[in-house]
Amino acid sequence: MVAPTREPTFAEQFTPKLVTILREGYGLAGLKADALAGLTVAIVALPLSMAIAIASGVTPDRGLYTAIVGGFMVSALGGSRFQIGGPAGAFIVLVAATVEQHGVDGLILATMLSGLILLVVGFLRLGTFIKYIPYPVTVGFTSGIAIIILASQFKELLGLTLPGKEPGPFIPKLEALGAALPTINVAAVGVAALSIGIIIALRRFRPHWPGFLIAVGLASVLTWLFGLPVETIGTRFGGIPQTLPAPHLPDLSPEKISAVLPAALSFALLGGIESLLSAVVADSMTGRRHRSNSELVGQGVANVASALFGGFCVTGTIARTATNVRTGARGPVSGMLHAVFLFLFMLVAAPLASYIPLAGLAAVLAVVAWNMAEKHQFAVLIRASRGDAIVLLATFLLVVFRDLTEGIIVGFGIGALLFLHRMAQAVEIEGSRLIVEPDLPDTINGNGRKPYDVALATDPDVVVYRISGAFFFGAAASVAAALDRIGEHPKAYVIDFSAVPVVDSTAAATIQGFARQARRHGAAVYLAGARPAIRRVLLTHGVRPPLVRFRSTLSDALSAAHRKADGAQDTDPAPAKVA
């Protein structure tokens, strides 16, 4: 048995990753790499921040304030090495509804309160509970948000003129847009189509070029050069300022706080989920581990600071964080420099922003929404099982037609009920608690039997792990953490599934992520003893050869792993039919 791990101290849980990086030694080479990554992310964030702000019902400068102030604080105080903070498309629906109900002052107050809530959640060490959000819920609400964002951009994409204010609810919005179709602006459609075409073409043929900025820049030049009759930032908002405003507190009256508190709770819930999901994505790309509670504390401070400077909700942004990793960032300094570069852009180029056509910014958000939709994952979950499909569709439909927070809560509730049903079906299986531990030659399992022949466990190039009990979304984080703690890089891994009664989509995604990481290190992964139902779930989610190889028994898997470690050619046996 593995000795119980020591509980991390308060300082270990809440020390920002910036401090960790500086303690490890931070030199000129790291600064150069972070400066290049920060500049690249800033170029991506510049048009995106303004587009998200406009779609959220506020002026574009508030999107820049959010990215500059909030983004700097997220990187300086957060628990992830690579997190990039700023305004996120996921918040557009909530922010727009809050502005409509409580005005911009109410939005700023709700942002500040959400920051205080995140601080409390982080210091109470509740960040680890985010892992209990089922995978179908995250896919459902992300896809639902994508649909709503896309619908919100049709007005600008088509240059429509609405007789009144654009409705917020989905169906009335579509009805209003349909009624306004006779007012379509051909020039706006052309600008939007050109911008989308440029973004798609650059993503395919020049993926390292800043497609968003190039598309918006060319659209702005053409609009100015030919005097196109389309709305721009200048015609609607009068441009953007060249500096940050002085910090100030919003209205803190008890009546106002009480009115915006539900919105603040929604901001905090969505912000916590989005930021920790983004940190997990960065971990999977780099092999690092973030500190979830420290990350929530950093997000809390960032939201309070953003509100003081007139910004709105800040969270970790998955696309910008992934860009930060891909461009070679070494640590949080890249995120801090991304905020500095954005400030310099605003300082120098603010007058030019007046020429940016709103159709071009709408094109940016349309592409973002398309990429957010998680189409492949949605289709996989629909086919995976009836339970996952129910959770996914309930979350998705409620997010689109009702309310984002309601969708998350109902989806989580249905997921919890389905989990209880699955556990009721597995009560005859001994050991409902998940145990992940390396099997050493002298290890005795809970039934007093050695898990496999001692002679098969003597190869140091093969690591064997046993998973016992129900492997589901609540246990997936524990499995991922245990697998990530493997310090060495053997030639083969064997994961014993013989004592696992049930898996879900989150578990399958966890095994898939581990197998991809092992493959990058040149190691083979063998799954032993998986029952037909479990193998079917794994295969549905892409856990299949050549990423992993299945064997019926632990002995067969160990023999194949030893042959792989010795350099022999591995051949798969005839595949067993899975019902």
Side-chain angles (χ1 to χ4, degrees):
M1 295 289 292
V2 175
T5 57
R6 179 179 61 86
E7 184 73 19
T9 65
F10 182 88
E12 289 171 339
Q13 288 198 48
F14 293 100
T15 299
K17 282 291 184 177
L18 176 62
V19 175
T20 302
I21 292 293
L22 296 178
R23 286 175 178 171
E24 292 174 353
Y26 188 77
L28 184 59
L31 180 60
K32 289 181 178 178
D34 283 338
L36 178 60
L39 178 60
T40 303
V41 176
I43 291 173
V44 173
L46 180 64
L48 197 54
S49 299
M50 291 189 290
I52 290 172
I54 294 171
S56 300
V58 296
T59 54
D61 55 315
R62 295 191 184 274
L64 293 176
Y65 302 158
T66 304
I68 292 169
V69 178
F72 187 91
M73 291 298 179
V74 164
S75 296
L77 301 177
S80 171
R81 289 174 182 256
F82 306 103
Q83 185 82 280
I84 299 295
F91 280 92
I92 288 176
V93 180
L94 288 175
V95 171
T98 304
V99 172
E100 184 176 358
Q101 295 174 16
H102 307 289
V104 174
D105 288 341
L107 169 65
I108 293 174
L109 177 58
T111 299
M112 177 174 287
L113 293 177
S114 72
L116 297 176
I117 293 169
L118 285 170
L119 281 169
V120 172
V121 170
F123 281 124
L124 289 178
R125 307 184 188 189
L126 301 179
T128 52
F129 287 94
I130 297 295
K131 67 187 178 185
Y132 294 115
I133 302 295
Y135 184 61
V137 173
T138 63
V139 174
F141 84 71
T142 302
S143 300
I145 290 168
I147 295 294
I148 294 174
I149 292 174
L150 186 60
S152 71
Q153 296 310 299
F154 281 135
K155 176 178 180 293
E156 307 299 349
L157 289 170
L158 302 178
L160 302 177
T161 301
L162 298 181
K165 192 172 183 180
E166 184 177 356
F170 187 70
I171 297 299
K173 181 191 296 289
L174 293 184
E175 292 174 346
L177 292 173
L181 279 179
T183 66
I184 191 170
N185 184 329
V186 177
V189 173
V191 169
L194 177 65
S195 301
I196 292 174
I198 292 172
I199 294 170
I200 294 174
L202 289 177
R203 181 161 294 178
R204 180 170 181 179
F205 299 108
R206 291 292 185 270
H208 298 295
W209 289 18
F212 288 164
L213 188 63
I214 291 174
V216 172
L218 287 177
S220 304
V221 170
L222 292 175
T223 300
W224 169 76
L225 190 62
F226 294 102
L228 297 178
V230 298
E231 276 205 281
T232 65
I233 287 180
T235 59
R236 182 175 295 183
F237 302 106
I240 62 174
Q242 288 185 271
T243 187
L244 293 173
H248 64 282
L249 287 171
D251 178 13
L252 297 176
S253 65
E255 295 80 11
K256 194 71 172 178
I257 291 175
S258 176
V260 304
L261 188 57
L265 290 170
S266 297
F267 291 164
L269 173 63
L270 182 57
I273 295 172
E274 186 83 1
S275 63
L276 294 186
L277 283 177
S278 179
V280 168
V281 169
D283 289 348
S284 67
M285 296 176 68
T286 62
R288 299 285 187 173
R289 301 293 295 177
H290 72 280
R291 299 176 183 134
S292 57
N293 293 311
S294 177
E295 181 64 22
L296 292 181
V297 169
Q299 297 284 340
V301 174
N303 276 278
V304 172
S306 174
L308 288 175
F309 284 88
F312 54 96
C313 313
V314 182
T315 189
T317 55
I318 295 176
R320 276 161 274 176
T321 298
T323 301
N324 189 41
V325 173
R326 293 192 191 103
T327 49
R330 301 286 183 86
V333 174
S334 63
M336 297 163 66
L337 290 176
H338 129 271
V340 172
F341 285 128
L342 280 175
F343 177 71
L344 293 177
F345 291 158
M346 187 175 71
L347 193 66
V348 174
L352 300 178
S354 298
Y355 299 100
I356 296 176
L358 299 185
L361 292 178
V364 169
L365 278 185
V367 174
V368 169
W370 178 261
N371 293 332
M372 281 179 63
E374 302 201 53
K375 300 169 287 296
H376 174 71
Q377 293 89 334
F378 197 100
V380 167
L381 288 169
I382 288 291
R383 299 192 305 267
S385 71
R386 184 179 301 174
D388 284 337
I390 291 173
V391 174
L392 172 72
L393 291 175
T395 305
F396 174 77
L397 294 174
L398 285 171
V399 166
V400 173
F401 295 103
R402 289 283 298 174
D403 176 73
L404 177 63
T405 306
E406 185 177 326
I408 294 175
I409 293 173
V410 171
F412 175 79
I414 296 175
L417 291 175
L418 289 173
F419 164 69
L420 293 176
H421 177 65
R422 288 169 178 162
M423 291 302 96
Q425 292 181 319
V427 291
E428 74 277 4
I429 304 299
E430 181 179 355
S432 62
R433 184 174 65 89
L434 181 76
I435 304 170
V436 183
E437 58 186 21
D439 282 323
L440 304 176
D442 59 348
T443 297
I444 303 295
N445 66 16
N447 295 323
R449 300 189 304 270
K450 292 190 176 182
Y452 55 84
D453 193 328
V454 173
L456 295 174
T458 57
D459 191 343
D461 289 327
V462 178
V463 170
V464 182
Y465 261 60
R466 180 185 64 205
I467 302 177
S468 301
F471 188 5
F472 66 106
F473 59 83
S478 300
V479 176
L483 293 175
D484 286 344
R485 284 198 297 268
I486 302 174
E488 67 276 18
H489 297 300
K491 296 180 181 178
Y493 294 95
V494 175
I495 304 179
D496 184 7
F497 270 80
S498 59
V500 177
V502 62
V503 299
D504 68 355
S505 54
T506 310
T510 299
I511 294 297
Q512 185 186 52
F514 172 75
R516 291 188 185 282
Q517 183 175 337
R519 193 176 185 184
R520 286 197 293 267
H521 292 296
V525 177
Y526 295 84
L527 303 186
R531 304 177 186 189
I534 291 174
R535 186 182 297 194
R536 183 169 58 249
V537 174
L538 295 173
L539 290 172
T540 300
H541 289 275
V543 183
R544 58 177 67 243
L547 187 62
V548 302
R549 300 184 186 279
F550 291 89
R551 293 295 185 269
S552 299
T553 66
L554 183 59
S555 296
D556 290 343
L558 285 167
S559 298
H562 290 310
R563 289 195 300 271
K564 178 69 175 178
D566 292 336
Q569 183 68 29
D570 184 31
T571 57
D572 277 323
K577 184 177 181 181
V578 178

